[in-house]
Amino acid sequence: MTADGKPFYGGTYFPPKDRGGRPGFVRVLMQIAAAYAADEKEVQTNADTLAAHLESKLEGRVGTQSTQLGAPQLIDVVAHYKRVADRE
């Protein structure tokens, strides 16, 4: 995230160390730090673009119908991620 809290990079899972063709978390952090140091303005541009994209996807719309998430759906989602989360 940028200093003002905007995400500019994301992923679903980074193992602790490089494995299975996936970069380890430390490698990802080093690459992000290098990108930020090399061109902070580009990182901010990416953050703005990503934020706009996420906002458009998270408006709560599926097709042309509005979708409201209620407590039952959120409870199910939290339960799912508790089961599959990497505790390390």
mmCIF file of all heavy atoms in Angstrom, residues 22-66:
data_model
loop_
_atom_site.group_PDB
_atom_site.id
_atom_site.type_symbol
_atom_site.label_atom_id
_atom_site.label_comp_id
_atom_site.label_asym_id
_atom_site.label_seq_id
_atom_site.Cartn_x
_atom_site.Cartn_y
_atom_site.Cartn_z
ATOM 1 N N ARG A 22 6.575 -20.024 -7.563
ATOM 2 C CA ARG A 22 6.008 -18.816 -6.956
ATOM 3 C C ARG A 22 7.080 -18.100 -6.155
ATOM 4 O O ARG A 22 7.847 -18.737 -5.438
ATOM 5 C CB ARG A 22 4.860 -19.190 -6.021
ATOM 6 C CG ARG A 22 3.726 -19.882 -6.741
ATOM 7 C CD ARG A 22 2.626 -20.143 -5.790
ATOM 8 N NE ARG A 22 1.622 -19.130 -6.081
ATOM 9 C CZ ARG A 22 0.404 -19.166 -5.634
ATOM 10 N NH1 ARG A 22 0.013 -20.109 -4.825
ATOM 11 N NH2 ARG A 22 -0.452 -18.232 -5.953
ATOM 12 N N PRO A 23 7.122 -16.788 -6.258
ATOM 13 C CA PRO A 23 8.112 -16.054 -5.462
ATOM 14 C C PRO A 23 7.729 -16.080 -3.989
ATOM 15 O O PRO A 23 6.554 -16.015 -3.639
ATOM 16 C CB PRO A 23 8.042 -14.637 -6.023
ATOM 17 C CG PRO A 23 6.645 -14.515 -6.543
ATOM 18 C CD PRO A 23 6.284 -15.895 -7.048
ATOM 19 N N GLY A 24 8.740 -16.166 -3.140
ATOM 20 C CA GLY A 24 8.500 -16.109 -1.704
ATOM 21 C C GLY A 24 8.134 -14.695 -1.269
ATOM 22 O O GLY A 24 8.411 -13.712 -1.970
ATOM 23 N N PHE A 25 7.533 -14.599 -0.076
ATOM 24 C CA PHE A 25 7.055 -13.312 0.422
ATOM 25 C C PHE A 25 8.196 -12.295 0.540
ATOM 26 O O PHE A 25 8.032 -11.130 0.166
ATOM 27 C CB PHE A 25 6.349 -13.512 1.765
ATOM 28 C CG PHE A 25 5.640 -12.286 2.247
ATOM 29 C CD1 PHE A 25 4.609 -11.738 1.517
ATOM 30 C CD2 PHE A 25 6.005 -11.683 3.436
ATOM 31 C CE1 PHE A 25 3.940 -10.598 1.957
ATOM 32 C CE2 PHE A 25 5.345 -10.554 3.884
ATOM 33 C CZ PHE A 25 4.316 -10.015 3.147
ATOM 34 N N VAL A 26 9.353 -12.733 1.023
ATOM 35 C CA VAL A 26 10.486 -11.814 1.161
ATOM 36 C C VAL A 26 10.914 -11.285 -0.204
ATOM 37 O O VAL A 26 11.179 -10.093 -0.366
ATOM 38 C CB VAL A 26 11.664 -12.490 1.894
ATOM 39 C CG1 VAL A 26 12.903 -11.611 1.880
ATOM 40 C CG2 VAL A 26 11.266 -12.831 3.328
ATOM 41 N N ARG A 27 10.951 -12.160 -1.206
ATOM 42 C CA ARG A 27 11.324 -11.719 -2.564
ATOM 43 C C ARG A 27 10.316 -10.684 -3.077
ATOM 44 O O ARG A 27 10.687 -9.664 -3.655
ATOM 45 C CB ARG A 27 11.389 -12.893 -3.523
ATOM 46 C CG ARG A 27 11.738 -12.453 -4.962
ATOM 47 C CD ARG A 27 11.715 -13.602 -5.953
ATOM 48 N NE ARG A 27 12.587 -14.678 -5.573
ATOM 49 C CZ ARG A 27 13.890 -14.748 -5.901
ATOM 50 N NH1 ARG A 27 14.437 -13.774 -6.609
ATOM 51 N NH2 ARG A 27 14.619 -15.765 -5.530
ATOM 52 N N VAL A 28 9.037 -10.936 -2.858
ATOM 53 C CA VAL A 28 8.000 -9.999 -3.305
ATOM 54 C C VAL A 28 8.200 -8.646 -2.630
ATOM 55 O O VAL A 28 8.155 -7.594 -3.281
ATOM 56 C CB VAL A 28 6.593 -10.563 -3.023
ATOM 57 C CG1 VAL A 28 5.525 -9.505 -3.269
ATOM 58 C CG2 VAL A 28 6.326 -11.788 -3.881
ATOM 59 N N LEU A 29 8.447 -8.652 -1.328
ATOM 60 C CA LEU A 29 8.660 -7.389 -0.610
ATOM 61 C C LEU A 29 9.875 -6.635 -1.139
ATOM 62 O O LEU A 29 9.835 -5.414 -1.290
ATOM 63 C CB LEU A 29 8.810 -7.652 0.885
ATOM 64 C CG LEU A 29 7.558 -8.122 1.608
ATOM 65 C CD1 LEU A 29 7.868 -8.383 3.085
ATOM 66 C CD2 LEU A 29 6.425 -7.134 1.472
ATOM 67 N N MET A 30 10.945 -7.367 -1.421
ATOM 68 C CA MET A 30 12.160 -6.722 -1.957
ATOM 69 C C MET A 30 11.884 -6.092 -3.327
ATOM 70 O O MET A 30 12.332 -4.986 -3.611
ATOM 71 C CB MET A 30 13.295 -7.744 -2.063
ATOM 72 C CG MET A 30 13.698 -8.357 -0.736
ATOM 73 S SD MET A 30 14.611 -7.258 0.321
ATOM 74 C CE MET A 30 16.200 -7.350 -0.413
ATOM 75 N N GLN A 31 11.134 -6.800 -4.169
ATOM 76 C CA GLN A 31 10.821 -6.269 -5.494
ATOM 77 C C GLN A 31 9.897 -5.056 -5.406
ATOM 78 O O GLN A 31 10.051 -4.095 -6.160
ATOM 79 C CB GLN A 31 10.208 -7.366 -6.369
ATOM 80 C CG GLN A 31 11.218 -8.437 -6.742
ATOM 81 C CD GLN A 31 10.607 -9.615 -7.470
ATOM 82 O OE1 GLN A 31 9.424 -9.899 -7.357
ATOM 83 N NE2 GLN A 31 11.441 -10.318 -8.218
ATOM 84 N N ILE A 32 8.969 -5.099 -4.478
ATOM 85 C CA ILE A 32 8.075 -3.951 -4.289
ATOM 86 C C ILE A 32 8.870 -2.745 -3.796
ATOM 87 O O ILE A 32 8.692 -1.623 -4.280
ATOM 88 C CB ILE A 32 6.931 -4.301 -3.316
ATOM 89 C CG1 ILE A 32 5.954 -5.262 -3.995
ATOM 90 C CG2 ILE A 32 6.211 -3.052 -2.834
ATOM 91 C CD1 ILE A 32 4.916 -5.847 -3.066
ATOM 92 N N ALA A 33 9.763 -2.975 -2.843
ATOM 93 C CA ALA A 33 10.591 -1.874 -2.331
ATOM 94 C C ALA A 33 11.446 -1.276 -3.444
ATOM 95 O O ALA A 33 11.589 -0.052 -3.545
ATOM 96 C CB ALA A 33 11.466 -2.376 -1.183
ATOM 97 N N ALA A 34 12.003 -2.134 -4.292
ATOM 98 C CA ALA A 34 12.834 -1.651 -5.406
ATOM 99 C C ALA A 34 11.996 -0.834 -6.395
ATOM 100 O O ALA A 34 12.435 0.218 -6.872
ATOM 101 C CB ALA A 34 13.502 -2.823 -6.114
ATOM 102 N N ALA A 35 10.795 -1.301 -6.693
ATOM 103 C CA ALA A 35 9.918 -0.576 -7.618
ATOM 104 C C ALA A 35 9.559 0.793 -7.047
ATOM 105 O O ALA A 35 9.564 1.803 -7.760
ATOM 106 C CB ALA A 35 8.656 -1.386 -7.905
ATOM 107 N N TYR A 36 9.254 0.821 -5.753
ATOM 108 C CA TYR A 36 8.886 2.086 -5.104
ATOM 109 C C TYR A 36 10.057 3.058 -5.118
ATOM 110 O O TYR A 36 9.896 4.243 -5.398
ATOM 111 C CB TYR A 36 8.418 1.813 -3.678
ATOM 112 C CG TYR A 36 7.661 2.953 -3.058
ATOM 113 C CD1 TYR A 36 6.300 3.088 -3.276
ATOM 114 C CD2 TYR A 36 8.302 3.897 -2.262
ATOM 115 C CE1 TYR A 36 5.586 4.138 -2.712
ATOM 116 C CE2 TYR A 36 7.601 4.947 -1.699
ATOM 117 C CZ TYR A 36 6.248 5.060 -1.925
ATOM 118 O OH TYR A 36 5.549 6.093 -1.373
ATOM 119 N N ALA A 37 11.259 2.541 -4.834
ATOM 120 C CA ALA A 37 12.449 3.396 -4.826
ATOM 121 C C ALA A 37 12.789 3.897 -6.229
ATOM 122 O O ALA A 37 13.243 5.028 -6.397
ATOM 123 C CB ALA A 37 13.638 2.635 -4.240
ATOM 124 N N ALA A 38 12.574 3.072 -7.237
ATOM 125 C CA ALA A 38 12.936 3.437 -8.606
ATOM 126 C C ALA A 38 11.984 4.467 -9.213
ATOM 127 O O ALA A 38 12.420 5.358 -9.945
ATOM 128 C CB ALA A 38 12.964 2.190 -9.489
ATOM 129 N N ASP A 39 10.690 4.347 -8.920
ATOM 130 C CA ASP A 39 9.720 5.246 -9.554
ATOM 131 C C ASP A 39 8.454 5.355 -8.712
ATOM 132 O O ASP A 39 7.430 4.739 -9.006
ATOM 133 C CB ASP A 39 9.391 4.760 -10.964
ATOM 134 C CG ASP A 39 8.675 5.810 -11.798
ATOM 135 O OD1 ASP A 39 8.225 6.836 -11.230
ATOM 136 O OD2 ASP A 39 8.561 5.615 -13.018
ATOM 137 N N GLU A 40 8.530 6.170 -7.674
ATOM 138 C CA GLU A 40 7.399 6.346 -6.760
ATOM 139 C C GLU A 40 6.160 6.869 -7.488
ATOM 140 O O GLU A 40 5.040 6.485 -7.177
ATOM 141 C CB GLU A 40 7.791 7.290 -5.628
ATOM 142 C CG GLU A 40 6.735 7.460 -4.575
ATOM 143 C CD GLU A 40 7.178 8.380 -3.446
ATOM 144 O OE1 GLU A 40 8.377 8.610 -3.271
ATOM 145 O OE2 GLU A 40 6.271 8.863 -2.746
ATOM 146 N N LYS A 41 6.374 7.711 -8.483
ATOM 147 C CA LYS A 41 5.240 8.277 -9.221
ATOM 148 C C LYS A 41 4.475 7.181 -9.978
ATOM 149 O O LYS A 41 3.248 7.181 -10.002
ATOM 150 C CB LYS A 41 5.720 9.358 -10.184
ATOM 151 C CG LYS A 41 4.610 10.126 -10.840
ATOM 152 C CD LYS A 41 5.140 11.296 -11.648
ATOM 153 C CE LYS A 41 3.978 12.099 -12.203
ATOM 154 N NZ LYS A 41 4.433 13.308 -12.880
ATOM 155 N N GLU A 42 5.197 6.246 -10.568
ATOM 156 C CA GLU A 42 4.538 5.150 -11.275
ATOM 157 C C GLU A 42 3.763 4.263 -10.295
ATOM 158 O O GLU A 42 2.657 3.805 -10.598
ATOM 159 C CB GLU A 42 5.542 4.294 -12.036
ATOM 160 C CG GLU A 42 4.871 3.169 -12.812
ATOM 161 C CD GLU A 42 5.835 2.321 -13.622
ATOM 162 O OE1 GLU A 42 7.029 2.646 -13.686
ATOM 163 O OE2 GLU A 42 5.370 1.317 -14.177
ATOM 164 N N VAL A 43 4.332 4.040 -9.124
ATOM 165 C CA VAL A 43 3.632 3.260 -8.101
ATOM 166 C C VAL A 43 2.328 3.956 -7.723
ATOM 167 O O VAL A 43 1.281 3.308 -7.607
ATOM 168 C CB VAL A 43 4.534 3.040 -6.858
ATOM 169 C CG1 VAL A 43 3.746 2.472 -5.699
ATOM 170 C CG2 VAL A 43 5.703 2.123 -7.210
ATOM 171 N N GLN A 44 2.360 5.270 -7.559
ATOM 172 C CA GLN A 44 1.142 6.019 -7.223
ATOM 173 C C GLN A 44 0.118 5.932 -8.346
ATOM 174 O O GLN A 44 -1.076 5.771 -8.096
ATOM 175 C CB GLN A 44 1.475 7.480 -6.910
ATOM 176 C CG GLN A 44 0.292 8.263 -6.397
ATOM 177 C CD GLN A 44 -0.259 7.721 -5.077
ATOM 178 O OE1 GLN A 44 0.490 7.502 -4.140
ATOM 179 N NE2 GLN A 44 -1.563 7.496 -5.019
ATOM 180 N N THR A 45 0.586 6.005 -9.594
ATOM 181 C CA THR A 45 -0.315 5.861 -10.738
ATOM 182 C C THR A 45 -0.965 4.485 -10.732
ATOM 183 O O THR A 45 -2.176 4.348 -10.953
ATOM 184 C CB THR A 45 0.449 6.098 -12.062
ATOM 185 O OG1 THR A 45 0.970 7.427 -12.059
ATOM 186 C CG2 THR A 45 -0.442 5.892 -13.273
ATOM 187 N N ASN A 46 -0.161 3.448 -10.466
ATOM 188 C CA ASN A 46 -0.704 2.090 -10.385
ATOM 189 C C ASN A 46 -1.726 1.983 -9.254
ATOM 190 O O ASN A 46 -2.753 1.327 -9.400
ATOM 191 C CB ASN A 46 0.408 1.064 -10.169
ATOM 192 C CG ASN A 46 1.272 0.872 -11.395
ATOM 193 O OD1 ASN A 46 0.925 1.295 -12.484
ATOM 194 N ND2 ASN A 46 2.410 0.243 -11.204
ATOM 195 N N ALA A 47 -1.444 2.628 -8.133
ATOM 196 C CA ALA A 47 -2.370 2.604 -6.991
ATOM 197 C C ALA A 47 -3.696 3.254 -7.368
ATOM 198 O O ALA A 47 -4.769 2.725 -7.048
ATOM 199 C CB ALA A 47 -1.749 3.303 -5.790
ATOM 200 N N ASP A 48 -3.633 4.375 -8.046
ATOM 201 C CA ASP A 48 -4.869 5.062 -8.470
ATOM 202 C C ASP A 48 -5.672 4.194 -9.434
ATOM 203 O O ASP A 48 -6.897 4.088 -9.322
ATOM 204 C CB ASP A 48 -4.535 6.413 -9.118
ATOM 205 C CG ASP A 48 -3.950 7.404 -8.137
ATOM 206 O OD1 ASP A 48 -4.129 7.228 -6.910
ATOM 207 O OD2 ASP A 48 -3.285 8.361 -8.594
ATOM 208 N N THR A 49 -4.968 3.555 -10.386
ATOM 209 C CA THR A 49 -5.631 2.687 -11.363
ATOM 210 C C THR A 49 -6.264 1.481 -10.676
ATOM 211 O O THR A 49 -7.415 1.133 -10.949
ATOM 212 C CB THR A 49 -4.624 2.224 -12.433
ATOM 213 O OG1 THR A 49 -4.077 3.376 -13.081
ATOM 214 C CG2 THR A 49 -5.273 1.321 -13.466
ATOM 215 N N LEU A 50 -5.510 0.849 -9.784
ATOM 216 C CA LEU A 50 -6.021 -0.320 -9.073
ATOM 217 C C LEU A 50 -7.205 0.048 -8.181
ATOM 218 O O LEU A 50 -8.210 -0.664 -8.146
ATOM 219 C CB LEU A 50 -4.912 -0.969 -8.245
ATOM 220 C CG LEU A 50 -5.303 -2.218 -7.447
ATOM 221 C CD1 LEU A 50 -5.875 -3.297 -8.344
ATOM 222 C CD2 LEU A 50 -4.105 -2.737 -6.675
ATOM 223 N N ALA A 51 -7.118 1.177 -7.494
ATOM 224 C CA ALA A 51 -8.217 1.613 -6.629
ATOM 225 C C ALA A 51 -9.494 1.835 -7.443
ATOM 226 O O ALA A 51 -10.578 1.412 -7.044
ATOM 227 C CB ALA A 51 -7.835 2.883 -5.875
ATOM 228 N N ALA A 52 -9.370 2.467 -8.594
ATOM 229 C CA ALA A 52 -10.534 2.705 -9.451
ATOM 230 C C ALA A 52 -11.124 1.381 -9.933
ATOM 231 O O ALA A 52 -12.348 1.200 -9.957
ATOM 232 C CB ALA A 52 -10.151 3.582 -10.635
ATOM 233 N N HIS A 53 -10.256 0.445 -10.296
ATOM 234 C CA HIS A 53 -10.727 -0.853 -10.763
ATOM 235 C C HIS A 53 -11.459 -1.601 -9.640
ATOM 236 O O HIS A 53 -12.547 -2.138 -9.848
ATOM 237 C CB HIS A 53 -9.551 -1.692 -11.268
ATOM 238 C CG HIS A 53 -9.932 -3.068 -11.676
ATOM 239 N ND1 HIS A 53 -10.597 -3.338 -12.847
ATOM 240 C CD2 HIS A 53 -9.753 -4.261 -11.064
ATOM 241 C CE1 HIS A 53 -10.824 -4.640 -12.928
ATOM 242 N NE2 HIS A 53 -10.312 -5.224 -11.855
ATOM 243 N N LEU A 54 -10.864 -1.626 -8.452
ATOM 244 C CA LEU A 54 -11.484 -2.311 -7.324
ATOM 245 C C LEU A 54 -12.819 -1.673 -6.958
ATOM 246 O O LEU A 54 -13.788 -2.382 -6.675
ATOM 247 C CB LEU A 54 -10.551 -2.322 -6.121
ATOM 248 C CG LEU A 54 -9.316 -3.200 -6.253
ATOM 249 C CD1 LEU A 54 -8.394 -3.001 -5.055
ATOM 250 C CD2 LEU A 54 -9.691 -4.660 -6.418
ATOM 251 N N GLU A 55 -12.874 -0.353 -6.961
ATOM 252 C CA GLU A 55 -14.133 0.329 -6.650
ATOM 253 C C GLU A 55 -15.218 -0.064 -7.643
ATOM 254 O O GLU A 55 -16.358 -0.317 -7.251
ATOM 255 C CB GLU A 55 -13.934 1.838 -6.653
ATOM 256 C CG GLU A 55 -13.190 2.340 -5.435
ATOM 257 C CD GLU A 55 -12.851 3.827 -5.516
ATOM 258 O OE1 GLU A 55 -13.327 4.509 -6.449
ATOM 259 O OE2 GLU A 55 -12.105 4.288 -4.652
ATOM 260 N N SER A 56 -14.867 -0.147 -8.912
ATOM 261 C CA SER A 56 -15.879 -0.505 -9.916
ATOM 262 C C SER A 56 -16.329 -1.949 -9.740
ATOM 263 O O SER A 56 -17.494 -2.271 -9.960
ATOM 264 C CB SER A 56 -15.351 -0.279 -11.326
ATOM 265 O OG SER A 56 -14.400 -1.263 -11.689
ATOM 266 N N LYS A 57 -15.426 -2.835 -9.321
ATOM 267 C CA LYS A 57 -15.779 -4.251 -9.145
ATOM 268 C C LYS A 57 -16.512 -4.510 -7.838
ATOM 269 O O LYS A 57 -17.242 -5.476 -7.722
ATOM 270 C CB LYS A 57 -14.518 -5.132 -9.190
ATOM 271 C CG LYS A 57 -13.841 -5.137 -10.529
ATOM 272 C CD LYS A 57 -14.752 -5.740 -11.566
ATOM 273 C CE LYS A 57 -14.103 -5.762 -12.929
ATOM 274 N NZ LYS A 57 -15.011 -6.139 -13.990
ATOM 275 N N LEU A 58 -16.317 -3.659 -6.853
ATOM 276 C CA LEU A 58 -16.898 -3.893 -5.540
ATOM 277 C C LEU A 58 -18.133 -3.034 -5.265
ATOM 278 O O LEU A 58 -18.545 -2.894 -4.134
ATOM 279 C CB LEU A 58 -15.844 -3.647 -4.453
ATOM 280 C CG LEU A 58 -14.636 -4.574 -4.504
ATOM 281 C CD1 LEU A 58 -13.606 -4.156 -3.476
ATOM 282 C CD2 LEU A 58 -15.047 -6.014 -4.299
ATOM 283 N N GLU A 59 -18.738 -2.503 -6.309
ATOM 284 C CA GLU A 59 -19.919 -1.665 -6.139
ATOM 285 C C GLU A 59 -21.128 -2.456 -5.675
ATOM 286 O O GLU A 59 -22.140 -1.886 -5.330
ATOM 287 C CB GLU A 59 -20.270 -0.970 -7.455
ATOM 288 C CG GLU A 59 -19.334 0.137 -7.833
ATOM 289 C CD GLU A 59 -19.744 0.781 -9.141
ATOM 290 O OE1 GLU A 59 -20.344 0.101 -9.999
ATOM 291 O OE2 GLU A 59 -19.465 1.966 -9.304
ATOM 292 N N GLY A 60 -21.048 -3.775 -5.677
ATOM 293 C CA GLY A 60 -22.190 -4.579 -5.279
ATOM 294 C C GLY A 60 -23.138 -4.852 -6.417
ATOM 295 O O GLY A 60 -24.329 -5.030 -6.227
ATOM 296 N N ARG A 61 -22.621 -4.874 -7.629
ATOM 297 C CA ARG A 61 -23.479 -5.119 -8.783
ATOM 298 C C ARG A 61 -23.021 -6.386 -9.498
ATOM 299 O O ARG A 61 -21.848 -6.608 -9.689
ATOM 300 C CB ARG A 61 -23.431 -3.959 -9.760
ATOM 301 C CG ARG A 61 -23.968 -2.685 -9.164
ATOM 302 C CD ARG A 61 -24.234 -1.649 -10.252
ATOM 303 N NE ARG A 61 -24.868 -0.502 -9.674
ATOM 304 C CZ ARG A 61 -26.169 -0.383 -9.488
ATOM 305 N NH1 ARG A 61 -26.973 -1.346 -9.818
ATOM 306 N NH2 ARG A 61 -26.674 0.703 -8.963
ATOM 307 N N VAL A 62 -23.994 -7.181 -9.865
ATOM 308 C CA VAL A 62 -23.756 -8.351 -10.691
ATOM 309 C C VAL A 62 -24.627 -8.164 -11.920
ATOM 310 O O VAL A 62 -25.850 -8.119 -11.812
ATOM 311 C CB VAL A 62 -24.133 -9.654 -9.949
ATOM 312 C CG1 VAL A 62 -23.940 -10.841 -10.866
ATOM 313 C CG2 VAL A 62 -23.334 -9.796 -8.677
ATOM 314 N N GLY A 63 -23.990 -8.003 -13.057
ATOM 315 C CA GLY A 63 -24.773 -7.692 -14.257
ATOM 316 C C GLY A 63 -25.430 -6.337 -14.076
ATOM 317 O O GLY A 63 -24.784 -5.356 -13.766
ATOM 318 N N THR A 64 -26.735 -6.304 -14.230
ATOM 319 C CA THR A 64 -27.450 -5.038 -14.077
ATOM 320 C C THR A 64 -28.234 -4.977 -12.774
ATOM 321 O O THR A 64 -28.915 -4.001 -12.507
ATOM 322 C CB THR A 64 -28.421 -4.824 -15.256
ATOM 323 O OG1 THR A 64 -29.341 -5.920 -15.300
ATOM 324 C CG2 THR A 64 -27.673 -4.721 -16.570
ATOM 325 N N GLN A 65 -28.160 -6.038 -11.961
ATOM 326 C CA GLN A 65 -28.912 -6.060 -10.710
ATOM 327 C C GLN A 65 -28.005 -5.705 -9.536
ATOM 328 O O GLN A 65 -26.863 -6.110 -9.475
ATOM 329 C CB GLN A 65 -29.515 -7.437 -10.468
ATOM 330 C CG GLN A 65 -30.545 -7.819 -11.506
ATOM 331 C CD GLN A 65 -31.114 -9.203 -11.235
ATOM 332 O OE1 GLN A 65 -30.513 -9.995 -10.541
ATOM 333 N NE2 GLN A 65 -32.276 -9.462 -11.782
ATOM 334 N N SER A 66 -28.544 -4.969 -8.604
ATOM 335 C CA SER A 66 -27.812 -4.632 -7.392
ATOM 336 C C SER A 66 -27.849 -5.827 -6.448
ATOM 337 O O SER A 66 -28.865 -6.502 -6.319
ATOM 338 C CB SER A 66 -28.456 -3.418 -6.720
ATOM 339 O OG SER A 66 -27.762 -3.114 -5.533
#
